[in-house]
Amino acid sequence: MNAAAGMRVLVVGAGLAGLTAALDLVAAGAEVTVLEARDRVGGRIHGVSMPGGVTADGGAAYLGARHTELLALVGEHGLRLVPATMTGDSTFLLSGRRTTSASRMPPLDAVALGGMFDRLDELVADVRPDAPWQSADAGVLDRLSAASWLAREIRHPDARTFFPLFLGEMMAADPAAISVLHMAFYLRSGGGIRYLNAFEGGAQEWRIDGGAQLLCQALAERLGARVRMGQPVCAIEQSAGDVVVQCDGASGARSRYRADRVVLAVPPLLAQRIEFRPALRALRATAVTGRGCAVKVQLGYPAPLWREFGLSGWSVSTNGPLLSTVDDSPPDGSAGVLTGFVTGAAATAFSALSATAQRDAALAHIGRIFPQLPAPTQCTVTDWLAEKYSRGCYAALFGPGDWLNLGPTLTDPHGHVHWCGTETSLEFFGLMEGAIRSGRRVAAELIHGDERTPVSEKVLSR
Ligand SMILES: Cc1cc2nc3c(=O)[nH]c(=O)nc-3n(C[C@H](O)[C@H](O)[C@H](O)COP(=O)(O)OP(=O)(O)OC[C@H]3O[C@@H](n4cnc5c(N)ncnc54)[C@H](O)[C@@H]3O)c2cc1C
């Protein structure tokens, strides 16, 4: 059965999820139009130009062997992978003291960190990956913030120091902003703590040569004129027959599109802002749903100069703003690119600075971490907190109570409106792989017809 043949479908959002859904629907014979608010495709995937013609990933970058749908798309579009593996010593700046070591883990009490990871592993093992809101003790874990869990469960000061760095790196989250259930679910959904945290053999094994935006551009090229830029959707009105979608153009001009079905492929905090008639029965986000807080700082050098000093470029710091740095240089070493991550609460403070102050703070930090390096020739800041059409980088953060409120209806259609986006994927939630899987899932929903009758359908047929 192919219910999508000849169906008019509007896909809202040209990130990986929307582009994947659109292509699957076109292949099934649907008449697809993609409405994108920005003047570019890719959403949370975005290329940054560096010296020497190099493009760095200002947004999503890393992938691993378990990201099978993403790897398949990379292969189909003739793109190459670059190993993200680093050789050389790591650098640490903990409480103002700089050290280097062969280990990627900071020189903190290994037993204390091991104990904390064991406790986290227990939480991760107990969460139900297919329905986190039905996990044992879901009610308790969903109400408790990760910060409260830390205060209650973890005593050792080294483990307490490391925990926010770990959550910042993994989830771009301030521990006060997320529930324990969300933390455990996210870690489980991404393949477990060790897989998510690892470069070699883990979720950060590779980057896409030339930047991940090449994949989004290749997908958009296949869709051609079906993709319309500068179309921020502000209202969706449904009748029993069809759906009318309204966009607010940049110059105040409004455009309207009519369709049989809408696929909304935007982050939950942005979906919640759209005016729905009839109104949404199930919220996409609540007052405690947070946005992941990430700023990326890319520093350009004539070559990966840190390697000459036996350093990998990997650093971890408790004295921000760059909580970690990683070597993102091109594989031939023709240029040097260090990527710095500012995440969680540090990102909120950093984002509030002027552009000059951000740059000064980043350069001062690099000077402390790598005093042997000359000043970089370029410093580019990609501040995702300032991005009107993202609100959640790496992904939305489910706050206390959110999984029980939002989880059960995450993918329930609202009449003729269907949902995708990485935050609707229980597999690899928050990652590129989750975005693609959600796009595939929603396209299949329209192609095979959905047997479920959501509450909103009853409202529409009155
Ligand atoms: C700094 C950073 C680092 C990351 N690192 C990684 C990583 O290493 N590996 C990994 O796998 N993932 C990573 N991610 C996460 C990854 O980028 C996302 O999971 C994925 O790109 C989400 O895709 P999506 O299509 O669901 O959403 P998006 O990419 O957010 O796409 C949504 C689209 O909808 C558009 N839009 C929004 N509102 C409207 C509206 N009202 N009307 C029309 N269009 C609208 C947006 O402009 C956007 O193009 C990272 C993200 C960031 C920001």
Side-chain angles (χ1 to χ4, degrees), residues 171-189:
M171 303 176 68
D174 176 349
I178 58 171
S179 70
V180 176
L181 188 61
H182 185 59
M183 171 179 70
F185 161 73
Y186 186 95
L187 297 172
R188 172 102 192 224
S189 161

Side-chain angles (χ1 to χ4, degrees), residues 170 186-198 202-204 431:
M170 291 293 98
Y186 186 95
L187 297 172
R188 172 102 192 224
S189 161
I193 294 171
R194 274 152 205 83
Y195 184 74
L196 264 177
N197 198 24
Q204 281 128 190
L431 298 179

Side-chain angles (χ1 to χ4, degrees), residues 88-240:
D89 284 352
S90 310
T91 309
F92 302 101
L93 189 65
L94 304 178
S95 307
R97 194 167 154 260
R98 183 180 177 279
T99 54
T100 58
S101 131
S103 167
R104 260 198 68 215
M105 288 298 280
L108 294 166
D109 189 305
V111 175
L113 297 198
M116 182 186 78
F117 281 122
D118 287 347
R119 296 299 323 275
L120 285 172
D121 275 337
E122 284 165 21
L123 289 170
V124 170
D126 285 347
V127 79
R128 267 191 63 168
D130 60 330
W133 55 92
Q134 287 176 6
S135 307
D137 290 334
V140 175
L141 297 176
D142 200 30
R143 276 194 300 274
L144 191 66
S145 76
S148 306
W149 176 84
L150 180 75
R152 188 190 290 184
E153 301 286 336
I154 305 296
R155 292 271 159 265
H156 199 287
D158 280 10
R160 287 186 172 202
T161 298
F162 188 65
F163 184 73
L165 293 175
F166 169 74
L167 275 196
E169 195 191 331
M170 291 293 98
M171 303 176 68
D174 176 349
I178 58 171
S179 70
V180 176
L181 188 61
H182 185 59
M183 171 179 70
F185 161 73
Y186 186 95
L187 297 172
R188 172 102 192 224
S189 161
I193 294 171
R194 274 152 205 83
Y195 184 74
L196 264 177
N197 198 24
F199 281 82
E200 207 167 341
Q204 281 128 190
E205 180 137 27
W206 302 293
R207 290 180 280 120
I208 298 175
D209 195 10
Q213 89 288 345
L214 289 180
L215 177 60
C216 296
Q217 286 162 1
L219 299 177
E221 219 162 273
R222 285 172 55 199
L223 289 164
R226 294 181 186 93
V227 182
R228 305 211 183 154
M229 308 289 186
Q231 300 295 315
V233 168
C234 59
I236 298 179
E237 183 165 0
Q238 312 187 49
S239 64

Side-chain angles (χ1 to χ4, degrees), residues 13 15-17 36-38 43-44 60-62 233 265 393-394 421-422 430-432:
L16 257 190
E36 167 55 48
R38 289 177 163 108
R44 284 172 265 181
Y62 308 106
V233 168
C393 292
Y394 322 136
T422 192
L431 298 179
M432 293 186 276

Side-chain angles (χ1 to χ4, degrees), residues 11-19 35-46 57-64 67 70 172 186 203-204 206 216 228 230-234 246-247 264-267 270-271 273-274 294-296 341 382 384 387-395 420-424 428-436 438:
V11 175
V12 181
L16 257 190
L19 292 169
L35 302 175
E36 167 55 48
R38 289 177 163 108
D39 59 3
R40 62 167 180 85
V41 298
R44 284 172 265 181
I45 294 169
H46 180 47
D57 288 296
Y62 308 106
L63 62 147
H67 302 165
L70 177 53
Y186 186 95
Q204 281 128 190
W206 302 293
C216 296
R228 305 211 183 154
Q231 300 295 315
V233 168
C234 59
Q246 191 170 306
C247 302
L264 215 57
V266 308
L270 292 169
R273 283 190 180 174
I274 294 172
V295 179
K296 263 193 179 183
F341 289 83
T382 310
W384 289 95
E387 286 285 321
K388 185 175 172 189
Y389 293 115
S390 286
R391 292 194 63 80
C393 292
Y394 322 136
C420 70
T422 192
E423 285 92 350
T424 67
F428 302 99
F429 178 108
L431 298 179
M432 293 186 276
E433 179 71 12
I436 296 168
S438 78

